[in-house]
């Protein structure tokens, strides 16, 4: 029996028309791939714009331990810091230089070089002053002050009740005597050293008759010595002299004010009221009188 000529035989190849269609599709897909590569097409961005961002996340995100970092803000370009010009001769002044407080001038107990002796002594608030800034006339010679002597005798009598036998071994000194004394010290130790513990002629407080150098009888080794302040008699005197009108004239750590080294034996009579105030405030006569 003969087969129909239109009946397909087993194993026969597909018709050429279908093969042609598949070839066209493959060529189209290849063209799309080539176009994507050439134009660096961002598939994810296009899909996000099409509302498909959630479905495309699996294609673009890294694993969980490598999340995409946030974009850092751009830093402004660095420019070289310009320093103000430096000038050695004209330093810049603060903006409020006119309002700046000037440091307080310290007391200066030094001599005024070239100063001549005055015709009259200096009194401040009724108090006779003799220091390196305020000298006395050469002919000023009042002798030992009677009120000061009476006050000392009263004080010495009370000291005896405590077994201290006080004596005033140097009080009034004349101008001429001070010339001899100062020159002897200057020749021995030099003028600079002598100026720290001995007054030049005309500048000595002993010339006022109000200065008393005090020591203890039979203890002459401590007279005119700083060691007197370490004795029991010296300690008693320091604690009680103000009650009789005397002040320690040259205290410790006050040389820049008084002009002289500490003298544990040199006391000055100023009267009970003033001595009490100076003692309580622990100040010098210059500070009390406001002398600079």
């Amino acid at each position: 029996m003969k087969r129909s000529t239109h009946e397909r035989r087993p194993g026969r190849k597909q018709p050429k028309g279908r093969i042609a269609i598949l070839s066209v599709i493959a060529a189209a897909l290849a063209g799309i791939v080539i176009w994507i590569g050439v134009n660096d097409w961002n598939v994810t961005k296009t899909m996000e714009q099409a509302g498909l961002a959630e479905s495309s996340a699996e294609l673009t995100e890294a694993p969980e331990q490598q999340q995409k970092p946030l974009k850092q803000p751009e830093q402004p370009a660095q420019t070289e810091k310009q320093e103000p010009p430096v000038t050695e001769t004209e330093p810049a002044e603060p903006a409020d230089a006119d309002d700046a407080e000037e440091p307080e001038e310290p007391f200066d107990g030094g001599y005024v070089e070239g100063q001549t002796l005055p015709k009259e002594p200096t009194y401040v608030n009724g108090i006779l002053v003799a220091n390196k800034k305020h000298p006395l006339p050469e002919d000023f010679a009042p002798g030992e002050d009677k009120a000061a002597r009476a006050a000392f005798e009263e004080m010495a009598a009370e000291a005896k009740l405590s077994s201290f036998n006080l004596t005033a071994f140097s009080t009034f000194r004349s101008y001429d005597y001070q010339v001899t004394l100062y020159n002897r010290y200057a020749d021995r130790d030099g003028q600079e050293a002598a100026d720290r513990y001995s007054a030049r002629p005309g500048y000595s407080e002993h010339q006022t008759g109000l200065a008393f150098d005090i020591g203890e009888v039979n203890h002459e080794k401590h007279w005119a010595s700083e060691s007197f302040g370490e004795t029991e008699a010296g300690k008693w005197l320091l604690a009680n002299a103000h009650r009789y009108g005397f002040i320690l004239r040259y205290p410790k750590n006050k040389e820049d004010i008084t002009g002289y080294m500490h003298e544990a034996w040199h006391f000055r009579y100023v009267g009970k009221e003033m001595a009490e105030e100076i003692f309580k405030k622990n100040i010098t006569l210059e500070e009390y009188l406001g002398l600079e």
Side-chain angles (χ1 to χ4, degrees), residues 170 173-188 194 197-201 204 206 213:
S170 180
R173 296 179 196 160
S174 68
Y175 175 89
D176 291 338
Y177 180 79
Q178 193 67 25
V179 170
T180 301
L181 187 64
Y182 176 80
N183 288 341
R184 186 170 69 207
Y185 291 142
D187 291 341
R188 185 187 69 185
Y197 63 82
S198 181
R200 295 178 185 178
S204 175
H206 281 281
D213 286 346

Side-chain angles (χ1 to χ4, degrees), residues 2 37 43 50 135 264 285:
K2 295 183 180 178
V43 176
L285 183 62

Side-chain angles (χ1 to χ4, degrees), residues 159 162-166 214-217 219 228-240 267:
S162 299
S163 301
F164 302 125
N165 190 7
L166 299 180
I214 303 173
E216 187 178 10
V217 176
H219 293 273
F228 175 65
E230 302 303 319
T231 66
E232 294 304 314
K235 293 176 182 178
W236 184 94
L237 181 62
L238 180 63
N240 292 280
F267 286 78

